[in-house]
Amino acid sequence: MKKLINDPADVVKDALLGIEAAHADRVRVDHTNKIIYRKDAPRQGKVGLISGGGSGHEPMHGGFVGLGMLDAACAGEVFTSPVPDQMMEATKGVDGGAGVLHIVKNYTGDVMNFEMAAEMAEADAGTEVKAVVTDDDVAVQDSLYTAGRRGVGVTVLLEKLVGAAAEEGRSLSEVADLAKKINDSGRSMGMALTSCTVPAAGKPTFELADNEMEVGIGIHGEPGRTRLPLAPAKDIAALLLDPILSDLPYGQGDSVIAFVNGMGGTPLIELYVMYNEVNQLHSKAGITVARSLVGDYITSLEMAGCSVTLLKVDDELVRLWDAPVNTPGLRWGA
Amino acid sequence: MKKLINDPADVVKDALLGIEAAHADRVRVDHTNKIIYRKDAPRQGKVGLISGGGSGHEPMHGGFVGLGMLDAACAGEVFTSPVPDQMMEATKGVDGGAGVLHIVKNYTGDVMNFEMAAEMAEADAGTEVKAVVTDDDVAVQDSLYTAGRRGVGVTVLLEKLVGAAAEEGRSLSEVADLAKKINDSGRSMGMALTSCTVPAAGKPTFELADNEMEVGIGIHGEPGRTRLPLAPAKDIAALLLDPILSDLPYGQGDSVIAFVNGMGGTPLIELYVMYNEVNQLHSKAGITVARSLVGDYITSLEMAGCSVTLLKVDDELVRLWDAPVNTPGLRWGA
Amino acid sequence: MGLSVDDLGSWVKLFADVVHENAAMLTELDAAIGDADHGINMERGMKAVAAAVNEGSFETADALLKKVGMTLVSTVGGASGPLYGTFFLRCGTALTSVDDIDAAAFGAALRAGVEGLVARGKPELGDKTMYDAWAPALDAYDAAVSGGSSLAQALRAAADAAAQGRDATIPMVARKGRASYLGERSAGHQDPGATSTTLLVEAAASTLG
Amino acid sequence: MGLSVDDLGSWVKLFADVVHENAAMLTELDAAIGDADHGINMERGMKAVAAAVNEGSFETADALLKKVGMTLVSTVGGASGPLYGTFFLRCGTALTSVDDIDAAAFGAALRAGVEGLVARGKPELGDKTMYDAWAPALDAYDAAVSGGSSLAQALRAAADAAAQGRDATIPMVARKGRASYLGERSAGHQDPGATSTTLLVEAAASTLG
Ligand SMILES: Nc1ncnc2c1ncn2[C@@H]1O[C@H](COP(=O)(O)OP(=O)(O)O)[C@@H](O)[C@H]1O
Ligand SMILES: Nc1ncnc2c1ncn2[C@@H]1O[C@H](COP(=O)(O)OP(=O)(O)O)[C@@H](O)[C@H]1O
Ligand SMILES: [Mg+2]
Ligand SMILES: [Mg+2]
Ligand SMILES: [Mg+2]
Ligand SMILES: [Mg+2]
């Protein structure tokens, strides 16, 4: 295992110290509870937005704390959902009297821990809590009898858009409804060229031959739905985009935010090559790209690979997207 | 070789198409000459800033084109300096009557090609051209009889700071003097956990065992000055920072911009772990960190590793750092 | 006279040791169809539990087991944290003011714990989860007790049934938890949670008898 | 009668072929002490040169060689682009209005080309660059010519000397170019540029005789 770390057991602790030191102007960190707070949280009268999940997905979620996005993020161990105590603490810490929205990615662990936290927070402090669960990964067949789809790329876009809405002073139910609408309008699909190594595990989660790739992966180094021969960027773009387009579906005349995300180990030059391919498929499909995002935003440690996310947008969502945001991981207009 | 590309020969071309598609709001691309222009270039009365170099260092330089930073960037083949024709074309394209500054990293190829371009541009269009050559890499012994030190991390900070100065309407000689001052106030050092693969070469430039690291590397996948056993982040931080601190030197009471840069394949969580270690060494040395930058800004394809750059700053430089910048790779205040 | 607080304490501590010894194996199993952390998670949690049990002194069985549950909820995270945590919390609640913990009372507590776990995770038989080890274990336990077996014999029967349930997860296509994302590819792998659950019941059989 | 435009054209085209055949080897050498692109760079440039030479028709030697130089400058980049480009540009200039390109005239042109290269890159003997192949090659050539050798014999002597100069770069610690960043670690590796230069002189020996 080759990583820039100290003791594998200290990765999350050390990274939180680094985030605090690098971004003290915007965030403060509760190291006991592993919570990254917006420096001026709680904001009176503003709906508090918290998210959280396993670590190893940086900049998500801690890098999205700040003006126009999250009020707090709970950091779990690598790829392991945080515990209810953290989420309850964060919920209380960002409650400005207007209630708190939990942004939860649809993984059994995240959902159950956030549920317990909400029960505790409501019992304990009487804070009104609503939750939105993101489940945008088309690689997973959806069904009533399964854990359902994973929450992936849409989570990033949702945190930005809902953050802008909360900044405008909308009510908890308005913000929650918007979050639901956004989740329902977005779809994603990812692939990997390499596996990744959980520090505490010390070796790659799976092995891939030099001529293979995993398609339909999540963000935890899990193997994907299928293993295919390595292909050119053009074919990979189609492999990721086709199931997305047919799922919602998206088509002629739709306007979208197009998001090509790196999994952590893939350099930007390759992401731009992918974006070009994806963009040409949009044009073919008659889809208008209103806004785009290219880079590492929701990662899986040092995994090489990428994911594509499409979010159908109307003028209101585009306006919320353009609203000022000032976080370590996403910043404009401020 | 596992990369998200099509034909290795088309990587630069395809990436430029992707950059153009993703950032059409801020840049335009001359595909014939492989030049990324600020959309509104040339700006009348403003000193034009151009840089360029081999590709594979993204977001540098193309990602730094825009308000408050570069007016144009020339993209060479992967790790190969662009040719004079490109630089001459870009020089003419950004000349708003106030002259043009060439920001050149100190590599024999870059220096010679930019020299030829300047000669051609002055002969051809009578554009006044000045050049600043960055050479901040302390891994290389400096000497009159050698190629001298490499230009690395300081180049990124310099492009931002000088960009802000040019935006203020300063003259070419003022801008060039500032650039020189910045280069003289900055030092860098880098290390690698893995090599990288030049697409056209198809295999890693060097091989590293699982328990080895290269220290004193540049940004072209070159082997470094020394090969050492893999070490914890804490020791690596000292290995990189000590030669920097003693070189300028930096010490008690100095104020700096601290920049921890990822080489392309290292995930953000590890860069924050490194930043924490570097930051603790600053405190020990009595150095004040005025501003910080953590992320992948000057990369070496998918190489895993990092570099540390310290730039001594006064109030004026901090003010220029905080000035608005709006480029695909660096953005705030706009 | 039935189970004492110390008996239950040693059960939990043995489980902590066994999890420690098998952490790598549990993580391996999770690497194949999950995210390579089940052993790491359980080890982190049970280490905290062992510490809490050693430090604190507990008057009653329910106080002890509730402490175990709370500790797991607060330290494990992931899917196994709320599931194992809820299991021990409900176990404890079921034993509140039970002063003679005989075979029947302990069986009722186990069932209450598993019902809590099911309420949280909504697993069904055949979903390829820890529940596929728990369900047969509880049934075997109750059958043994109603057949007149001792607590020791009933726990032995439960442990064997849990192991069979664990093995039965191998061919299953997961419908819950991370493994479900793999679809057909999840078949042919043993479920990590069913494996740790079998270790827990095994630990009971070898300490509580 | 001395060298014709066609002679020089076939020299350049042979060099293009040889570079193509040896591109991987040149890149290998550059991988060891540089950035693994010398073969790629030279192949890209000489491919463009061969195309330009085949398409265009050239009245004079200087027109041809200047075209070669301009093409290299415009397509290669890196260190070798300006260096090889300047070499051919100056070679061409030196042959302007020379109508009988005999051994002496061609030797003078080669020296002018190398002087241009030296003016650009400021290499000194022993810096571990292409100049370490050029310098002995030029000296051997001139010695042969003043010794009365034919052009063919002089070029053969130059090619052998270039090869020796190339081999002599192996133990050198680089002081110029990327290899200089390696310090002591650059010793023990053959310089890529000196290797491509040797191929160029070899190509001259086997075409211009
Ligand atoms: N909905 C569920 N109901 C019951 N057990 C579940 C459920 N989801 C997952 N599990 C169990 O949890 C185990 C995985 O635990 P662990 O790896 O620690 O958590 P995570 O999946 O969050 O990484 C699975 O092997 C399975 O037995
Ligand atoms: N200053 C210099 N003078 C002469 N030759 C040089 C100089 N610097 C580099 N070279 C030659 O250039 C070769 C490298 O060329 P190439 O790899 O194509 O360019 P780059 O180093 O820019 O990647 C070296 O092997 C060396 O022979
Ligand atoms: Mg997990
Ligand atoms: Mg090069
Ligand atoms: Mg797991
Ligand atoms: Mg090279």
Side-chain angles (χ1 to χ4, degrees):
Chain A
M1 171 173 64
K2 293 185 119 177
K3 292 178 185 288
L4 298 172
I5 61 174
N6 297 302
D7 181 337
D10 295 337
V11 173
V12 175
K13 169 181 138 298
D14 291 349
L16 286 173
L17 285 165
I19 289 172
E20 177 181 44
H23 307 297
D25 55 326
R26 279 164 289 179
V27 306
R28 64 191 149 79
V29 176
D30 169 350
H31 294 283
T32 321
N33 294 298
K34 296 195 159 62
I35 300 169
I36 299 172
Y37 286 104
R38 177 171 165 174
K39 200 165 185 189
D40 57 3
R43 308 268 301 170
Q44 285 314 315
K46 173 183 169 306
V47 170
L49 300 184
I50 77 168
S51 190
S55 294
H57 308 304
E58 292 67 24
M60 187 184 80
H61 295 281
F64 299 143
V65 171
L67 172 112
M69 218 158 165
L70 299 177
D71 295 278
C74 305
E77 294 298 321
V78 171
F79 293 169
T80 302
S81 155
V83 299
D85 315 52
Q86 294 173 269
M87 299 149 177
M88 186 180 73
E89 187 64 28
T91 302
K92 289 192 275 175
V94 305
D95 181 8
V100 176
L101 180 71
H102 288 181
I103 299 171
V104 185
K105 301 187 299 303
N106 187 39
Y107 300 95
T108 306
D110 296 63
V111 170
M112 292 192 300
N113 283 282
F114 266 103
E115 272 171 9
M116 292 183 100
E119 292 164 14
M120 289 153 92
E122 266 158 337
D124 185 87
T127 308
E128 192 190 356
V129 175
K130 285 184 182 289
V132 60
V133 177
T134 60
D135 59 349
D136 52 305
D137 186 353
V138 299
V140 177
Q141 259 64 17
D142 203 0
S143 136
L144 269 181
Y145 311 101
T146 68
R149 288 176 160 177
R150 295 174 288 222
V152 285
V154 160
T155 316
V156 175
L157 308 182
L158 184 147
E159 289 178 357
K160 162 64 181 96
L161 294 163
V162 171
E167 212 64 57
E168 286 182 349
R170 299 198 199 175
S171 72
L172 178 58
S173 54
E174 287 170 320
V175 170
D177 292 348
L178 178 70
K180 178 96 183 53
K181 168 188 163 185
I182 292 165
N183 180 63
D184 295 344
S185 319
R187 296 291 188 275
S188 303
M189 176 107 167
M191 60 78 61
L193 293 175
T194 66
S195 180
C196 60
T197 298
V198 174
K203 55 175 149 45
T205 304
F206 59 87
E207 292 296 346
L208 263 181
D210 284 354
N211 56 354
E212 293 175 327
M213 62 182 180
E214 283 276 332
V215 176
I217 50 134
I219 54 172
H220 301 87
E222 317 94 317
R225 295 285 299 194
T226 44
R227 186 165 293 199
L228 295 175
L230 193 56
K234 183 178 236 48
D235 304 353
I236 293 173
L239 220 47
L240 297 181
L241 203 60
D242 292 348
I244 290 175
L245 294 179
S246 55
D247 192 88
L248 191 58
Y250 302 80
Q252 189 66 38
D254 282 333
S255 185
V256 301
I257 294 176
F259 174 26
V260 170
N261 173 67
M263 300 306 297
T266 286
L268 193 53
I269 187 170
E270 295 180 35
L271 296 182
Y272 279 123
V273 169
M274 281 301 302
Y275 186 80
N276 175 48
E277 298 302 338
V278 169
N279 187 60
Q280 299 194 3
L281 294 174
H282 293 145
S283 318
K284 270 217 204 73
I287 295 171
T288 311
V289 177
R291 297 292 183 270
S292 69
L293 187 65
V294 181
D296 290 6
Y297 293 98
I298 169 172
T299 61
S300 187
L301 293 171
E302 75 281 11
M303 173 180 277
C306 71
S307 63
V308 175
T309 297
L310 283 200
L311 176 66
K312 208 181 277 198
V313 291
D314 52 22
D315 296 352
E316 186 213 12
L317 289 183
V318 172
R319 189 179 56 74
L320 291 171
W321 181 256
D322 292 341
V325 59
N326 182 355
T327 71
L330 209 61
R331 183 170 183 180
W332 56 73
Chain B
M1 173 174 59
K2 293 184 118 175
K3 294 178 184 288
L4 297 172
I5 61 174
N6 297 303
D7 181 336
D10 295 337
V11 173
V12 175
K13 170 180 138 297
D14 290 350
L16 286 174
L17 285 165
I19 289 172
E20 177 180 44
H23 307 296
D25 54 327
R26 279 165 289 180
V27 306
R28 64 191 149 80
V29 176
D30 169 349
H31 293 284
T32 321
N33 294 297
K34 296 195 161 60
I35 301 170
I36 299 172
Y37 285 104
R38 177 172 164 173
K39 200 165 186 189
D40 57 4
R43 308 267 302 168
Q44 285 314 316
K46 174 184 168 303
V47 169
L49 300 183
I50 77 168
S51 189
S55 295
H57 307 303
E58 293 65 24
M60 188 183 81
H61 295 281
F64 298 143
V65 171
L67 173 110
M69 219 159 164
L70 299 177
D71 295 280
C74 306
E77 294 298 322
V78 171
F79 293 168
T80 303
S81 155
V83 300
D85 314 51
Q86 294 172 270
M87 298 149 177
M88 186 182 68
E89 186 66 27
T91 303
K92 289 191 275 174
V94 305
D95 182 7
V100 176
L101 180 71
H102 288 181
I103 299 172
V104 186
K105 301 188 299 304
N106 188 37
Y107 300 95
T108 306
D110 296 62
V111 171
M112 292 192 298
N113 283 281
F114 266 103
E115 274 171 8
M116 293 183 101
E119 293 163 14
M120 289 152 93
E122 265 157 338
D124 186 85
T127 308
E128 192 189 355
V129 175
K130 284 183 183 291
V132 60
V133 178
T134 59
D135 58 351
D136 53 304
D137 187 352
V138 299
V140 177
Q141 258 64 16
D142 203 0
S143 138
L144 270 181
Y145 311 101
T146 68
R149 289 177 159 176
R150 294 174 288 221
V152 285
V154 161
T155 316
V156 175
L157 308 182
L158 184 148
E159 290 177 357
K160 162 64 181 96
L161 294 163
V162 171
E167 213 64 58
E168 285 182 349
R170 298 197 200 175
S171 72
L172 178 58
S173 53
E174 288 170 320
V175 170
D177 293 346
L178 177 70
K180 179 93 182 56
K181 167 189 163 184
I182 293 165
N183 179 62
D184 294 345
S185 319
R187 297 290 188 274
S188 303
M189 174 105 168
M191 59 79 59
L193 293 174
T194 67
S195 179
C196 60
T197 299
V198 174
K203 56 174 148 44
T205 303
F206 58 87
E207 291 295 347
L208 263 181
D210 284 354
N211 56 353
E212 293 176 327
M213 61 182 182
E214 283 277 331
V215 176
I217 51 136
I219 54 172
H220 301 88
E222 317 94 317
R225 296 282 300 192
T226 45
R227 186 165 294 198
L228 296 174
L230 193 56
K234 182 178 239 47
D235 305 352
I236 293 174
L239 221 47
L240 297 181
L241 203 59
D242 293 347
I244 290 175
L245 293 178
S246 55
D247 192 88
L248 191 57
Y250 302 81
Q252 189 67 38
D254 282 334
S255 185
V256 302
I257 294 176
F259 173 25
V260 169
N261 172 67
M263 299 306 298
T266 287
L268 193 54
I269 187 170
E270 295 179 35
L271 295 182
Y272 279 123
V273 169
M274 281 301 302
Y275 186 81
N276 175 48
E277 297 302 337
V278 169
N279 187 60
Q280 299 194 6
L281 295 174
H282 292 145
S283 316
K284 271 217 203 72
I287 295 170
T288 311
V289 178
R291 297 292 184 268
S292 69
L293 188 66
V294 181
D296 291 6
Y297 293 98
I298 167 171
T299 60
S300 187
L301 294 171
E302 75 282 11
M303 173 180 278
C306 71
S307 64
V308 174
T309 296
L310 282 200
L311 176 67
K312 209 180 276 198
V313 291
D314 52 21
D315 295 353
E316 186 212 11
L317 288 182
V318 172
R319 190 179 56 74
L320 291 171
W321 181 255
D322 292 339
V325 59
N326 182 354
T327 71
L330 209 61
R331 183 170 182 180
W332 55 73
Chain C
M1 189 56 211
L3 295 170
S4 68
V5 176
D6 290 351
D7 294 334
L8 297 169
S10 35
W11 167 38
V12 171
K13 282 186 268 181
L14 176 63
F15 182 50
D17 296 341
V18 174
V19 162
H20 173 69
E21 288 149 22
N22 292 277
M25 177 268 285
L26 293 171
T27 293
E28 280 288 305
L29 291 173
D30 197 33
I33 55 174
D35 59 350
D37 66 359
H38 185 55
I40 299 162
N41 293 343
M42 292 303 293
E43 186 171 26
R44 182 175 59 249
M46 289 311 298
K47 197 170 159 224
V49 163
V53 171
N54 287 327
E55 285 151 24
S57 70
F58 302 88
E59 296 298 305
T60 61
D62 65 298
L64 173 80
L65 295 180
K66 280 177 186 161
K67 178 68 180 177
V68 173
M70 282 314 298
T71 307
L72 288 173
V73 168
S74 305
T75 57
V76 177
S80 44
L83 294 168
Y84 273 100
T86 304
F87 167 79
F88 279 105
L89 282 169
R90 297 294 186 84
C91 255
T93 314
L95 292 175
T96 317
S97 63
V98 174
D99 22 69
D100 179 10
I101 306 177
D102 59 11
F106 190 63
L110 290 178
R111 192 165 286 278
V114 173
E115 277 164 1
L117 175 164
V118 169
R120 269 275 159 237
K122 320 246 170 350
E124 291 177 13
L125 276 178
D127 280 357
K128 196 179 184 105
T129 72
M130 53 179 71
Y131 182 58
D132 291 308
W134 269 124
L138 292 183
D139 296 344
Y141 183 97
D142 293 351
V145 171
S146 40
S149 310
S150 69
L151 174 63
Q153 294 165 319
L155 283 170
R156 168 56 32 219
D160 297 343
Q164 282 165 27
R166 173 202 63 201
D167 298 343
T169 63
I170 296 175
M172 294 178 182
V173 172
R175 283 191 300 260
K176 291 277 159 50
R178 278 179 207 290
S180 66
Y181 306 139
L182 287 173
E184 299 297 329
R185 280 177 97 185
S186 62
H189 300 277
Q190 180 173 310
D191 179 63
T195 308
S196 53
T197 290
T198 303
L199 296 176
L200 177 60
V201 183
E202 235 342 300
S206 51
T207 41
L208 311 175
Chain D
M1 189 54 206
L3 294 169
S4 70
V5 176
D6 289 351
D7 294 335
L8 296 169
S10 35
W11 168 38
V12 170
K13 281 187 269 181
L14 176 62
F15 182 51
D17 296 341
V18 174
V19 161
H20 172 70
E21 287 150 21
N22 293 276
M25 178 268 284
L26 293 170
T27 294
E28 280 289 308
L29 291 172
D30 196 34
I33 55 173
D35 60 349
D37 65 0
H38 185 56
I40 300 162
N41 293 344
M42 292 302 294
E43 185 171 26
R44 182 176 58 250
M46 290 311 298
K47 199 171 156 217
V49 164
V53 171
N54 286 327
E55 285 152 22
S57 71
F58 303 88
E59 296 299 306
T60 61
D62 66 294
L64 172 80
L65 295 180
K66 281 178 186 161
K67 178 68 178 179
V68 172
M70 281 314 299
T71 306
L72 288 173
V73 168
S74 306
T75 55
V76 177
S80 45
L83 294 167
Y84 273 101
T86 304
F87 167 80
F88 280 105
L89 283 169
R90 297 295 187 82
C91 255
T93 313
L95 292 175
T96 316
S97 65
V98 173
D99 25 63
D100 179 9
I101 305 177
D102 59 12
F106 190 63
L110 290 177
R111 193 166 285 282
V114 173
E115 278 163 359
L117 175 165
V118 169
R120 270 273 160 238
K122 321 247 174 338
E124 292 178 13
L125 275 178
D127 282 355
K128 196 180 182 103
T129 72
M130 52 178 71
Y131 183 58
D132 291 308
W134 269 124
L138 292 183
D139 296 344
Y141 184 97
D142 292 351
V145 172
S146 40
S149 308
S150 71
L151 175 64
Q153 294 164 319
L155 283 171
R156 167 54 36 218
D160 297 344
Q164 282 165 29
R166 171 201 65 203
D167 297 345
T169 63
I170 295 175
M172 293 178 184
V173 172
R175 282 190 302 261
K176 291 278 160 48
R178 278 179 207 289
S180 66
Y181 305 139
L182 287 174
E184 299 296 330
R185 280 178 96 185
S186 62
H189 299 278
Q190 180 172 311
D191 179 64
T195 308
S196 53
T197 289
T198 303
L199 296 176
L200 176 61
V201 183
E202 233 345 296
S206 52
T207 42
L208 311 176

